[in-house]
Amino acid sequence: MKNKSTMDELRRLFMELYDNEKAWDHLVGILERNRHERRASLKKLDEERRGEGAWFRSHQLLGMMLYTENFGGDLRGVRKRLPYLEELGVNYLHLMPLLDSPEGKSDGGYSVSDFHRVRPDLGTMEDLEDLAEECHGKGMVLCIDFVLNHVSDEHVWAREARKGDPTAMSRFFMYDNWEIPRQYEQTVPQVFPATAPGNFTWYGDVCKVVMTTFHPYQWDLNYANPMVFNDMTDQLLYLANRGMDVIRLDAIPYLWKALGTSCRNLPQVHTLIRMMHLACEIVCPGVALLGEVVMEPRQVMPYFGSAEDPECDILYNVTTMCTTWHTLATRDVRLLQHQMGQVAGLGKEGFFQNYLRCHDDIGWGLDFPFLGQFFMGEVSHKKFLNDWLTGNWYGSPARGEVYNDDAFLGDARLCGTTASLCGIESALAAGDEGTRDLEKAIRCDLMLHAWMLAQSGIPVIYSGDEVGQLNDYSYHEDPARSSDSRYLHRGAFDWEMAARRKEKGTPAWKIFRGIRRLARLRSRTPVFAAEARMSVEDLWESRVMGIRREHEGETFLGVFNFSDSDAGAHLPEGRWKNMLTGKPVRLTPDGWLPMKGYGFFWLIRMDRN
Ligand code: GLC
């Protein structure tokens, strides 16, 4: 087998963790089989990408994440609608979970009962492969989720375990009584304190208490058992071999459990992810791993690993995302400046996927010690943010809903679409009286997208946001969903609204056109390359965020007014041109750049420095 040193490294880590020769031989067999099964066309792609370096770092990538059923009905429907995505410039498509998962206890697809089967109402594995092929033909890449912390209680392993099969049971955490579970509960926090409290569930059929960190029907896998690692790596490679380009590793901080700890971010998790990366290097080197680590910044960064020993190739920029919403609510850019300073200081090691909204809630993983300097306490500030973004604050136009509001912890999170959170929904509801507010809300929506698109990394739009889709309140009527407010922003794609992107003057027209224009500029202008030097620019106005990018003699300045009122920004030295109009910027006689509420500028320096 090729890749000797990669194999050596994998073996070293595997033995360090498991010290089990038989299990190692089994893993080698899995790698060989998957390598053998990888199609020639995919191997060719691997080769091409090897030459390109980190292909996913291209600033020409524009992502969209969507639910197959919401957007196209099924996989064939998505295939038919690819031209719509191309019209916007999307060339990186993230399909939300689509593998088989039981209706009513699927957690939006994050509860997989068969890794080799697509949910029947969405199509078949062949449909997925066809879609991947079509995407590749169009120069698009495809990403899907790999849910690896847990399986559904209807997955064959769980079914066997529920019959008392000892081998199957050894894949999970199962206890005769509550003694050990109770010990765990003393140190392990809860993921869904209000909707799924506790980390264990009693299963009467087998008379065991089972570890279920997420929902009661999601059984945590026990990675201390090498068979679990081997078989899950096999599933990962199986998906890669279906033609996926990026694999999203779901909820990775939770993978390793140990009594007396928080069962989050334990050192063994890093070994597991590193080993999965090595397995991909051996079988499918063209595939990139996207890690989902929804934690505070100091917990996120280690998941990149190091330049020599990479773990995740891409991580969600969760801190910038929630800091962005904090900035909108507070109209104060200090925390965002601090956060971006840290991102800018990252250099080549870290590469992010940027986003405003995704399928999940906005969790307030902010840098609270930093905010403490300004006397913002954690509980009170979270309450303020939730009040503001749900429109329960004087003057706030936002329409969101809280998520997992735990009265004891004061730790609620937030749901809603970008458009509704920006005030488009409330302005539309006000009819004629809301006309001016609507203009402002659309400006806010575009300003936030411009802010996201100015950052380094892969910008990923949440489906519907490109036409200003509003919240969907229908989940309140559905008993299977009504307790989970994340469905507020998981509504069916509004194709009627999307059709209005062609009607001049409508919100959909303005937003779609605005985003497309910015995305094109981004993809055509080298200053947006990942290699550009990025820094925070203080513009002498606490409501206005400035970001500078420098690359190959070109300098870009992004200026974003996070408040709803007019403001002025003090530009740094130089002559600046507005990238969108091509015209030089006009400053006031005393040197300020006047800005509308929620206005933004993308500027390029005309005189080379
Ligand atoms: C991830 C998903 C989330 C899901 C959870 C459990 O965090 O993003 O939607 O509920 O994993 O699988």
Side-chain angles (χ1 to χ4, degrees):
M1 203 157 174
K2 280 210 270 168
N3 302 304
K4 186 76 175 71
S5 61
T6 315
M7 273 305 259
D8 290 347
E9 172 68 353
L10 180 55
R11 180 181 158 87
R12 186 181 68 76
L13 293 173
F14 190 92
M15 293 313 261
E16 217 174 84
L17 197 62
Y18 297 123
D19 191 19
N20 185 327
E21 285 290 348
K22 226 175 119 198
W24 167 252
D25 289 345
H26 179 235
L27 180 62
V28 172
I30 287 173
L31 297 178
E32 273 168 1
R33 174 167 42 74
N34 280 287
R35 210 181 141 88
H36 176 71
E37 281 170 11
R38 190 154 174 86
R39 280 202 309 274
S41 58
L42 295 177
K43 285 187 176 160
K44 196 167 150 248
L45 205 59
D46 290 335
E47 273 314 306
E48 285 166 17
R49 287 178 174 167
R50 208 191 283 274
E52 278 173 46
W55 60 271
F56 50 84
R57 281 176 169 259
S58 162
H59 66 286
Q60 278 149 358
L61 282 180
L62 176 67
M64 176 164 288
M65 52 188 297
L66 55 82
Y67 283 95
T68 299
E69 60 273 42
N70 285 347
F71 181 75
D74 57 15
L75 285 168
R76 288 176 187 204
V78 171
R79 221 174 121 188
K80 272 197 225 124
R81 297 189 190 270
L82 290 179
Y84 169 79
L85 301 178
E86 288 178 291
E87 190 186 322
L88 188 65
V90 169
N91 50 11
Y92 165 49
L93 177 57
H94 175 188
L95 295 177
M96 298 306 295
L98 45 76
L99 299 180
D100 213 3
S101 67
E103 177 73 43
K105 41 179 192 171
S106 82
D107 185 23
Y110 285 99
S111 181
V112 178
S113 53
D114 189 344
F115 289 96
H116 285 217
R117 190 162 181 250
V118 167
R119 236 173 67 193
D121 58 312
L122 301 180
T124 62
M125 237 351 138
E126 287 70 51
D127 293 337
L128 182 61
E129 288 185 69
D130 290 348
L131 177 63
E133 217 172 294
E134 179 131 354
C135 284
H136 289 160
K138 289 175 178 289
M140 280 175 129
V141 297
L142 202 55
C143 165
I144 63 165
D145 281 81
F146 178 49
V147 186
L148 67 166
N149 176 67
H150 43 258
V151 293
S152 154
D153 64 1
E154 291 186 24
H155 186 280
V156 64
W157 297 337
R159 274 195 277 123
E160 293 302 312
R162 287 168 72 172
K163 285 186 210 146
D165 176 87
T167 313
M169 286 169 72
S170 71
R171 292 177 185 273
F172 302 102
F173 298 87
M174 302 177 78
Y175 304 97
D176 295 334
N177 55 45
W178 288 87
E179 203 182 308
I180 295 175
R182 219 170 280 139
Q183 288 174 35
Y184 269 109
E185 291 291 14
Q186 278 166 22
T187 53
V188 183
Q190 305 191 31
V191 181
F192 302 126
T195 50
N199 290 291
F200 291 86
T201 306
W202 169 254
Y203 271 74
D205 46 2
V206 55
C207 289
K208 297 275 180 209
V209 184
V210 182
M211 185 185 281
T212 54
T213 303
F214 287 81
H215 292 98
Y217 48 80
Q218 289 165 313
W219 286 27
D220 286 77
L221 288 163
N222 184 354
Y223 277 87
N225 176 349
M227 292 312 286
V228 167
F229 175 79
N230 287 357
D231 289 335
M232 291 306 281
T233 303
D234 196 7
Q235 317 288 6
L236 167 67
L237 299 173
Y238 172 81
L239 292 176
N241 279 351
R242 308 279 71 73
M244 302 305 118
D245 304 278
V246 178
I247 301 220
R248 175 187 182 273
L249 300 177
D250 180 59
I252 47 182
Y254 304 84
L255 291 185
W256 194 271
K257 285 40 176 211
L259 253 186
T261 72
S262 66
C263 295
R264 311 279 199 267
N265 306 304
L266 297 180
Q268 291 87 343
V269 175
H270 292 279
T271 310
L272 294 172
I273 302 299
R274 176 77 193 119
M275 290 200 295
M276 288 195 175
H277 197 284
L278 288 165
C280 289
E281 284 173 40
I282 293 164
V283 174
C284 48
V287 169
L289 295 179
L290 160 68
E292 190 223 11
V293 181
V294 182
M295 298 267 156
E296 52 185 296
R298 72 184 170 85
Q299 313 273 27
V300 175
M301 303 316 295
Y303 286 94
F304 281 121
S306 64
E308 304 77 53
D309 300 316
E311 293 175 24
C312 294
D313 299 299
I314 315 165
L315 286 170
Y316 279 83
N317 197 346
V318 57
T319 312
T320 300
M321 182 278 292
C322 64
T323 307
T324 297
W325 290 106
H326 148 96
T327 310
L328 192 71
T330 56
R331 303 162 184 167
D332 179 339
V333 300
R334 283 176 296 183
L335 180 62
L336 195 56
Q337 287 178 327
H338 172 71
Q339 157 66 10
M340 289 315 287
Q342 289 185 333
V343 172
L346 261 182
K348 290 207 165 82
E349 269 105 73
F351 188 72
F352 283 116
Q353 169 160 317
N354 294 308
Y355 61 115
L356 294 173
R357 292 296 298 112
C358 71
H359 68 296
D360 276 332
D361 48 291
I362 304 171
W364 299 116
L366 301 170
D367 189 338
F368 284 105
F370 181 86
L371 287 177
Q373 303 175 80
F374 314 114
F375 308 104
M376 294 189 208
E378 185 163 340
V379 172
S380 57
H381 188 55
K382 283 180 181 172
K383 176 152 179 10
F384 161 72
L385 293 172
N386 288 326
D387 284 348
W388 200 89
L389 288 163
T390 50
N392 289 313
W393 191 270
Y394 179 73
S396 162
R399 291 289 176 269
E401 285 183 1
V402 288
Y403 178 66
N404 263 279
D405 189 4
D406 184 70
F408 179 69
L409 295 172
D411 209 17
R413 288 115 77 171
L414 193 104
C415 296
T417 68
T418 301
S420 291
L421 295 179
C422 288
I424 295 181
E425 183 178 324
S426 56
L428 285 172
D432 286 348
E433 278 174 33
T435 313
R436 280 196 54 203
D437 290 340
L438 183 60
E439 285 306 309
K440 199 178 265 187
I442 292 173
R443 258 205 322 275
C444 177
D445 189 307
L446 281 172
M447 183 273 290
L448 292 180
H449 279 96
W451 159 241
M452 170 177 74
L453 287 159
Q455 294 165 43
S456 291
I458 308 178
V460 178
I461 297 166
Y462 186 52
S463 175
D465 278 0
E466 77 283 11
V467 286
Q469 186 157 326
L470 306 178
N471 290 340
D472 175 9
Y473 295 93
S474 68
Y475 83 95
H476 285 290
E477 318 310 325
D478 177 354
R481 299 176 169 192
S482 56
S483 64
D484 193 335
S485 52
R486 291 177 301 175
Y487 286 100
L488 184 66
H489 51 255
R490 293 180 183 174
F493 185 71
D494 189 343
W495 281 104
E496 271 175 35
M497 187 180 234
R500 288 202 286 279
R501 76 187 183 281
K502 301 203 164 150
E503 283 171 39
K504 202 170 168 193
T506 61
W509 180 81
K510 287 182 183 159
I511 298 171
F512 191 91
R513 212 164 149 260
I515 295 177
R516 184 174 56 187
R517 206 151 158 228
L518 292 166
R520 279 189 186 156
L521 272 175
R522 175 185 162 93
S523 109
R524 288 175 190 162
T525 318
V527 79
F528 290 102
E531 299 74 43
R533 220 175 71 88
M534 199 173 78
S535 54
V536 172
E537 190 74 43
D538 193 347
L539 303 168
W540 300 95
E541 162 56 88
S542 64
R543 296 170 292 171
V544 180
M545 180 69 192
I547 183 176
R548 181 193 277 260
R549 306 181 61 89
E550 287 159 314
H551 188 55
E552 294 174 349
E554 206 168 30
T555 305
F556 163 90
L557 187 65
V559 184
F560 309 90
N561 180 3
F562 273 82
S563 85
D564 60 347
S565 47
D566 294 354
H570 189 74
L571 295 192
E573 198 189 318
R575 286 171 49 229
W576 300 91
K577 184 175 81 180
N578 184 333
M579 280 181 89
L580 287 145
T581 61
K583 294 190 183 138
V585 292
R586 301 247 304 262
L587 305 182
T588 61
D590 47 358
W592 292 85
L593 173 68
M595 302 187 77
K596 283 187 181 170
Y598 295 134
F600 78 90
F601 287 97
W602 273 17
L603 306 175
I604 284 279
R605 189 162 172 175
M606 292 157 76
D607 49 336
R608 296 217 151 198
N609 37 352

